[in-house]
Amino acid sequence: MQKMSVRTRVLTGAVTLAAVGAGTFGALSASAAPQSDQARPAADVRKSETVTSTHLSVAAATKAAQAALAAAEKENQRVTVAVVDRNGNTLVTLRGDGAGPQSYESAERKAFTAVSWNAPTSELVKRLAQTPNLKDIPGTLFLGGGAPVASQGAPIAGIGVAGAPSGDLDEKFAQAGVAALGK
């Protein structure tokens, strides 16, 4: 192995530092460089091009879910409660002690179905007689137990309950969750 002279080591180190420094400076310069007008995203859009919507807060969703679960527990029912937003995204899910494994997904799907049509799922079950292919829409579940949450008539969330022996009971508990929001 050949030993490098002091001069060679100093020059090699200086070249290495210069290369690292140039790379860092180039990266910083590139990220700080102003964008061309074509590449720059629009700063503002006109108000007429936007939509503002109302959403249920996580705190309100939790309050509703807890009220629905408490109503079920009062009647010794083991259920799962799900609250979804207007887009069907789950905000809160509470799985009660002893609730069956199928109840988790069923509660979410009932909540999604209720908010999608802004109607209790027990009402939607009746609509299946005229339009049986409704049940083919992905993510929906046409069984009693889902209740919509509305603000000024527009759906903003859905509450789904699953696990009680009947959809009527599930829906009764979901409605208790909706009622808790008005208090």
Side-chain angles (χ1 to χ4, degrees):
M1 184 169 184
Q2 194 175 14
K3 193 171 181 180
M4 287 195 280
S5 70
V6 172
R7 181 176 181 213
T8 303
R9 284 186 286 181
V10 169
L11 283 174
T12 302
V15 169
T16 303
L17 282 174
V20 170
T24 302
F25 178 78
L28 290 174
S29 295
S31 66
Q35 298 176 347
S36 71
D37 288 338
Q38 289 178 337
R40 184 171 299 161
D44 287 315
V45 294
R46 289 183 292 238
K47 187 169 177 78
S48 64
E49 297 174 330
T50 64
V51 175
T52 302
S53 60
T54 302
H55 295 273
L56 195 63
S57 70
V58 171
T62 302
K63 176 182 177 180
Q66 288 172 332
L69 186 59
E73 288 174 344
K74 193 175 193 179
E75 295 190 27
N76 295 317
Q77 297 300 316
R78 299 174 184 152
V79 301
T80 297
V81 180
V83 181
V84 302
D85 68 10
R86 177 63 186 111
N87 299 319
N89 299 310
T90 303
L91 295 170
V92 176
T93 303
L94 298 177
R95 185 173 179 272
D97 294 335
Q102 79 289 353
S103 66
Y104 192 91
E105 182 179 351
S106 296
E108 286 183 336
R109 290 176 60 192
K110 288 178 183 184
F112 174 76
T113 304
V115 73
S116 295
W117 279 275
N118 195 24
T121 53
S122 61
E123 175 62 34
L124 297 171
V125 169
K126 297 172 190 171
R127 293 184 195 175
L128 284 178
Q130 288 79 31
T131 316
N133 60 343
L134 278 180
K135 69 181 180 328
D136 298 332
I137 296 172
T140 58
L141 185 59
F142 292 88
L143 297 173
V149 176
S151 176
Q152 299 176 357
I156 62 167
I159 300 174
V161 177
S166 74
D168 291 341
L169 281 174
D170 285 340
E171 198 157 307
K172 175 182 170 183
F173 306 141
Q175 290 293 351
V178 174
L181 294 172
K183 295 178 182 177

